[in-house]
Amino acid sequence: MIEARGLYKKFGDFKVLNGVDLRVEEGKSIAIIGRSGGGKSVLLKHLIGLLKPDAGSVWIDGLDITHLTERELLKVRRKFAMVFQGAALFDSLTVSENVAFMLRREKRFTDGEITKKVEAALDMVDLQGAGPKMPVELSGGMRKRVGLARAVIYQPEIVLYDEPTTGLDPVVSDSIDQLILRVNEYCKVTTVVVTHDMRSARRIGQRIFMLANGIIHMEGSPDDIFGSSDPLVSRFVNGIADTKDIDL
Ligand SMILES: Nc1ncnc2c1ncn2[C@@H]1O[C@H](COP(=O)(O)OP(=O)(O)OP(=O)(O)O)[C@@H](O)[C@H]1O
Ligand SMILES: [Mg+2]
């Protein structure tokens, strides 16, 4: 469903991706882990065509999207929903209006159809009845749920999540992870989650990819990754800093 082949990307002289290879099968749920600033968000943006690689290619459903124009990309992007880190809600719109926003712009559905779809999407994320609320009335976890509802209302084939549980307490994180898995299963979407929350990676990732030094340093099942004796992997998953990471 998603394939990155030998992706290279640098900003100025700063090399972020140094030959990334990644393959995600249809319907699977994978996690990409790695250090802050290691290029996870940059990699995600390549998968959806928001950034172009210096070399290498990205394939979606058998189509090479690397050199498509913005116009051609619009069709491919329909398959995607992206849940951004901060949920990015419009504060002047209600929850329902936020969830319906893109559907309304497309003008494909009647008001009645949109209302039904919004209700179904809010149900999916356990936010029944929250439609009339304003974003300021919501907790961080609820905002993330609204972000999720806004993604699933589209019926995407692929959902990309950038740090969906960052800044949430462990209990709320757990509930968001469960919703991500629910969406993966019931909506039959391919799921890619970028996270540095190890508990979350373990729960969500049927496969886990560790990005380090611009490449996929290791790919494996959660047991492979968490039981790895590779020093880089085991230090990372156990949260142990290398002395050279510490600024003296
Ligand atoms: N558009 C850009 N122009 C210049 N540099 C960029 C751009 N986007 C990202 N970078 C740089 O690329 C590096 C990787 O950034 P990225 O946001 O992918 O990291 P990350 O792994 O997602 O980190 P975090 O876990 O903190 O979100 C950073 O050093 C960042 O400053
Ligand atoms: Mg990031």
Side-chain angles (χ1 to χ4, degrees):
M1 189 75 178
I2 305 175
E3 200 174 346
R5 295 187 193 157
L7 288 187
Y8 284 80
K9 182 71 175 179
K10 59 180 180 184
F11 295 106
D13 288 337
F14 185 59
K15 291 181 183 159
V16 179
L17 304 181
N18 236 332
V20 168
D21 293 301
L22 177 98
R23 223 182 119 90
V24 189
E25 305 290 335
E26 187 171 345
K28 288 275 188 294
S29 165
I30 68 117
I32 300 172
I33 60 174
R35 294 271 303 273
S36 201
K40 303 183 298 295
S41 298
V42 167
L43 174 57
L44 218 50
K45 285 179 188 156
H46 278 84
L47 301 183
I48 195 172
L50 286 172
L51 285 173
K52 300 270 186 214
D54 299 329
S57 56
V58 174
W59 298 71
I60 301 298
D61 238 352
L63 175 72
D64 182 352
I65 69 157
T66 323
H67 303 292
L68 295 186
T69 61
E70 273 301 309
R71 208 188 155 79
E72 292 165 326
L73 271 174
L74 284 181
K75 220 167 117 196
V76 180
R77 290 214 187 105
R78 281 253 158 86
K79 296 178 194 247
F80 284 93
M82 181 140 178
V83 179
F84 291 97
Q85 190 154 348
L89 305 180
F90 298 109
D91 284 328
S92 59
L93 301 182
T94 65
V95 166
S96 290
E97 287 163 350
N98 264 288
V99 174
F101 188 78
M102 291 307 274
L103 281 190
R104 271 199 208 292
R105 275 197 9 180
E106 282 194 356
K107 300 190 167 63
R108 262 194 307 155
F109 300 102
T110 64
D111 282 356
E113 285 167 335
I114 290 179
T115 306
K116 278 214 183 93
K117 281 175 179 289
V118 168
E119 270 170 25
L122 289 176
D123 267 1
M124 174 65 79
V125 300
D126 294 335
L127 277 181
Q128 293 89 342
K133 284 195 196 301
M134 299 303 287
V136 287
E137 300 175 70
L138 307 177
S139 67
M142 287 169 89
R143 293 174 73 95
K144 300 249 174 177
R145 281 165 193 248
V146 177
L148 230 76
R150 198 169 49 180
V152 300
I153 198 167
Y154 252 107
Q155 297 178 296
E157 295 170 39
I158 302 166
V159 187
L160 307 178
Y161 299 88
D162 200 351
E163 305 284 358
T165 58
T166 303
L168 302 175
D169 74 46
V171 177
V172 177
S173 292
D174 183 59
S175 72
I176 296 289
D177 289 341
Q178 287 183 19
L179 288 178
I180 291 172
L181 290 173
R182 186 193 288 178
V183 167
N184 176 257
E185 205 169 306
Y186 290 108
C187 305
K188 305 214 181 322
V189 298
T190 305
T191 302
V192 176
V193 178
V194 157
T195 185
H196 40 222
D197 179 342
M198 288 305 117
R199 282 163 49 100
S200 187
R202 180 162 219 160
R203 275 195 296 258
I204 297 172
Q206 292 164 341
R207 309 273 307 160
I208 298 178
F209 296 75
M210 178 163 165
L211 183 65
N213 305 316
I215 59 166
I216 299 297
H217 181 79
M218 183 175 174
E219 178 203 337
S221 68
D223 285 345
D224 294 340
I225 297 282
F226 285 87
S228 173
S229 56
D230 179 291
L232 197 67
V233 178
S234 93
R235 273 207 312 269
F236 184 76
V237 300
N238 294 306
I240 301 166
D242 194 320
T243 45
K244 68 177 187 286
D245 299 335
I246 302 168
D247 281 329
L248 292 172

